[in-house]
Amino acid sequence: MTAFLIIVLIMAVVGLVASVRIVRQYERGLIFRCGRLREVTRGPGLAMIVPVIDHLQKVNLQIITMPVPAQDGITRDNVTVKVDAVVYFCVTDPVRAAVRVQDYTFAVLQVAQTSLRSIIGKSDLDELLTNRERLNQGLELMIDSPAIDWGVHIDRVEIKDVSLPESMKRSMSRQAEAERERRARIITADGELQASRKLASAAATMAQTPTALQLRLLETMVEVAAEKNSTVVLPFPVELLRFLERKPESAPPEMEQLPAELLKGGPPHHEHLHR
């Protein structure tokens, strides 16, 4: 009798241990009794089930980070690219996630791959490189639309990297270099235009005050002398140049008495030599 009681006690303890399940804080427990889902969902803590008859399935409610493998595609402007992404999602309805779809993680991955290829075909290369925020939002909507029926919410989708062919990288590098060269030339030309305007304004100011030109000449001489070189600066009076530019209005009387041939610089005639 004592042995029978011990056996019964051992079986009771084993049955109690087999009927106890622990559900973590970030999980929810679904009980299937004889294959039928019970309406009550077990929260975090201890969950009691009937051994052999009941089966407890745990569903994780944490946000899952799932990388999407790189997808090859052709953009709208006929450029072959390879794009990969990351999907952040979580389960909002454990019952739908366990009943509606066999493996919701695999299902979300397949939808993400097909949606990523669709986004690549609908976008230009410039949009993939510069306007990723809008593409991320569109990709999130495309994945979240079927995932709602599975009890899954797409929290965020990010495009990680866009791989380009080497020939396209070289072309873009040349384009960027040409653009920088164009900007540099425009800036240089703009600087020369502003400098010419300032020089014209300074010349007009010096023309009104002749002494300013002499002061500027002296300042230039001081700057050249401070560099300790062998350059020699000889100031040339501007008034002398102005004097040379003037043409005599009438020739002197002595010049008027000379023959016209001498004034013109031509050789004398033979008749003058005989005389």
Side-chain angles (χ1 to χ4, degrees):
M1 188 67 181
T2 305
F4 178 75
L5 292 176
I6 294 175
I7 294 174
V8 171
L9 182 60
I10 293 175
M11 293 179 61
V13 172
V14 172
L16 180 63
V17 173
S19 63
V20 175
R21 296 290 186 273
I22 297 177
V23 180
R24 296 180 179 86
Q25 182 67 36
Y26 54 86
E27 294 176 338
R28 294 296 181 269
L30 303 178
I31 297 179
F32 291 88
R33 178 165 293 176
C34 297
R36 185 175 183 179
L37 178 65
R38 300 287 301 275
E39 296 181 357
V40 180
T41 302
R42 298 294 187 269
L46 293 176
M48 302 298 296
I49 63 174
V50 179
V52 182
I53 299 177
D54 293 344
H55 171 69
L56 179 65
Q57 180 178 349
K58 300 177 182 179
V59 179
N60 193 344
L61 301 183
Q62 290 178 314
I63 295 179
I64 301 174
T65 303
M66 182 180 63
V68 180
Q71 302 296 312
D72 294 328
I74 300 177
T75 61
R76 192 166 53 183
D77 50 354
N78 297 325
V79 178
T80 303
V81 295
K82 183 179 292 186
V83 183
D84 56 353
V86 180
V87 180
Y88 303 88
F89 66 95
C90 62
V91 176
T92 57
D93 192 344
V95 176
R96 289 186 177 184
V99 176
R100 291 287 184 91
V101 61
Q102 182 179 6
D103 187 353
Y104 61 87
T105 303
F106 181 75
V108 171
L109 177 60
Q110 297 302 312
V111 173
Q113 291 180 0
T114 55
S115 300
L116 184 57
R117 290 185 179 181
S118 178
I119 284 291
I120 294 173
K122 295 179 181 179
S123 305
D124 295 333
L125 179 61
D126 293 338
E127 294 179 354
L128 288 176
L129 297 177
T130 60
N131 198 7
R132 291 190 181 183
E133 188 65 28
R134 187 181 65 83
L135 296 179
N136 292 337
Q137 294 177 359
L139 191 59
E140 179 181 346
L141 292 176
M142 294 179 65
I143 302 175
D144 191 50
S145 179
I148 292 178
D149 295 335
W150 305 334
V152 177
H153 170 66
I154 306 300
D155 185 72
R156 191 177 182 86
V157 180
E158 292 286 345
I159 296 178
K160 290 177 59 178
D161 187 24
V162 178
S163 300
L164 301 175
E166 292 298 329
S167 58
M168 181 59 63
K169 290 181 180 179
R170 290 193 295 268
S171 300
M172 295 178 65
S173 177
R174 290 194 299 268
Q175 179 184 0
E177 185 177 357
E179 179 67 20
R180 289 192 296 267
E181 183 68 20
R182 182 185 67 86
R183 293 180 182 178
R185 291 184 178 181
I186 292 176
I187 294 174
T188 302
D190 192 14
E192 292 179 355
L193 178 60
Q194 295 180 6
S196 62
R197 291 176 179 176
K198 295 295 183 180
L199 289 175
S201 178
T205 304
M206 290 183 180
Q208 297 176 1
T209 308
T211 309
L213 184 60
Q214 301 295 334
L215 294 176
R216 180 59 181 169
L217 179 60
L218 294 176
E219 184 180 356
T220 304
M221 294 177 60
V222 171
E223 292 178 357
V224 173
E227 295 180 359
K228 296 180 180 181
N229 51 25
S230 59
T231 305
V232 179
V233 179
L234 296 177
F236 191 79
V238 182
E239 290 78 3
L240 181 58
L241 295 177
R242 294 176 181 174
F243 176 76
L244 295 176
E245 290 178 355
R246 298 175 183 176
K247 295 182 179 179
E249 298 178 357
S250 60
E254 296 78 3
M255 298 294 294
E256 293 179 355
Q257 297 177 0
L258 294 175
E261 292 82 359
L262 295 177
L263 292 176
K264 293 180 179 180
H269 295 285
H270 294 287
E271 57 182 0
H272 293 288
L273 293 177
H274 288 294
R275 292 178 184 178

